[in-house]
Amino acid sequence: MVKIFTTVLSILICASAHAQDLKDIFDPEAKVTWLGLDFTGVKFIGDRERYGSLSDTRHLIEAWNDILIKERDKYNAGRAVDKRRVNEALEVTIEHNANLELLDFFSENAGDYLHLNPDLVKTIVSEYDFKGNQGLGLIFIVESFNKPDQEAAAWITFVDMHSKNVLLTERVYGKPGGAGIRNYWANSIHDMMDKMRSKEFRAWRKKYTGK
């Protein structure tokens, strides 16, 4: 009986060590792993010719994550979510995105702009391989790049990578800008980060913790 109790206790302690919760999201000292941009459910609305072939589009999707690495001072995820300790594991989303079917990504329907919801975000996260990463993860689930309205939308999502549990997901909008399709939409991600730093993250803290 003592041996069984000890084994169960050890399992519970281990599970507790892995578990993340809301307080970790809003604790500046809690470590977060920045996972980059997921395109599983994205819609590219309008501007079809600028994306080129499906191969060109695949390279663009990789390039949007690549720019987050090459220009990490500009695209500072830790600063956007008030975190001092940030790991990077963008290979997680880069590899996931590389296996996506792209044919359904393109749309001329303005109604496709806002088509995701928290349940769909949870489904996307459940299909991820986090490559052995543990703890709190931050991923941007890109919803749409909407050229007619010149706006992007993404679900800013915190996950417990061990359990694949979505701890928080909120939609944020960003304005694009700049020359070339890569930079044009990359700047919408930068705009989202600026909004999170200046307003959104504080609003989420109040919403979820009352502080």
Side-chain angles (χ1 to χ4, degrees):
M1 182 67 72
V2 172
K3 185 178 291 186
I4 293 173
F5 175 78
T6 303
T7 301
V8 172
L9 184 61
S10 297
I11 291 171
L12 291 174
I13 291 172
C14 183
S16 178
H18 286 300
Q20 307 296 308
D21 56 31
L22 277 173
K23 75 177 189 312
D24 295 304
I25 295 173
F26 300 107
D27 179 359
E29 300 301 329
K31 184 170 64 178
V32 68
T33 298
W34 171 222
L35 300 165
L37 310 178
D38 166 86
F39 287 89
T40 303
V42 74
K43 291 294 184 182
F44 299 135
I45 303 172
D47 227 10
R48 172 66 184 90
E49 67 283 354
R50 296 194 67 197
Y51 288 91
S53 67
L54 291 181
S55 178
D56 293 334
T57 303
R58 199 171 293 281
H59 287 305
L60 266 174
I61 288 172
E62 185 173 343
W64 281 315
N65 265 317
D66 189 52
I67 198 172
L68 303 182
I69 300 170
K70 291 180 177 178
E71 300 184 28
R72 57 174 54 86
D73 287 342
K74 176 179 179 179
Y75 299 92
N76 191 321
R79 186 169 58 213
V81 296
D82 192 26
K83 286 285 182 294
R84 299 186 179 94
R85 298 194 298 152
V86 181
N87 288 342
E88 288 184 359
L90 275 75
E91 67 276 6
V92 169
T93 48
I94 290 172
E95 183 173 321
H96 181 87
N97 292 333
N99 295 312
L100 297 175
E101 174 58 57
L102 307 184
L103 286 174
D104 293 334
F105 284 13
F106 303 100
S107 174
E108 298 299 326
N109 180 7
D112 285 337
Y113 178 36
L114 304 178
H115 63 279
L116 296 182
N117 58 54
D119 286 337
L120 289 173
V121 168
K122 290 176 183 177
T123 298
I124 290 170
V125 169
S126 73
E127 296 171 350
Y128 254 84
D129 177 0
F130 288 107
K131 305 297 180 186
N133 287 285
Q134 301 286 339
L136 185 66
L138 170 63
I139 185 169
F140 284 24
I141 309 289
V142 181
E143 183 169 18
S144 57
F145 288 165
N146 185 347
K147 184 59 187 296
D149 289 343
Q150 297 184 44
E151 191 168 59
W155 288 83
I156 312 308
T157 305
F158 289 90
V159 303
D160 179 338
M161 293 182 289
H162 176 69
S163 66
K164 299 187 181 181
N165 183 37
V166 172
L167 303 172
L168 180 154
T169 188
E170 290 280 353
R171 181 188 277 136
V172 175
Y173 305 95
K175 287 295 182 184
I181 191 168
R182 185 199 73 157
N183 292 337
Y184 183 78
W185 289 113
N187 279 315
S188 71
I189 303 301
H190 181 256
D191 187 48
M192 291 178 194
M193 289 180 168
D194 275 352
K195 287 177 179 176
M196 291 164 65
R197 182 188 182 193
S198 63
K199 177 182 177 182
E200 299 288 354
F201 195 70
R202 286 199 298 272
W204 298 343
R205 179 185 283 115
K206 185 173 183 179
K207 175 181 177 179
Y208 289 99
T209 71
K211 299 179 180 179

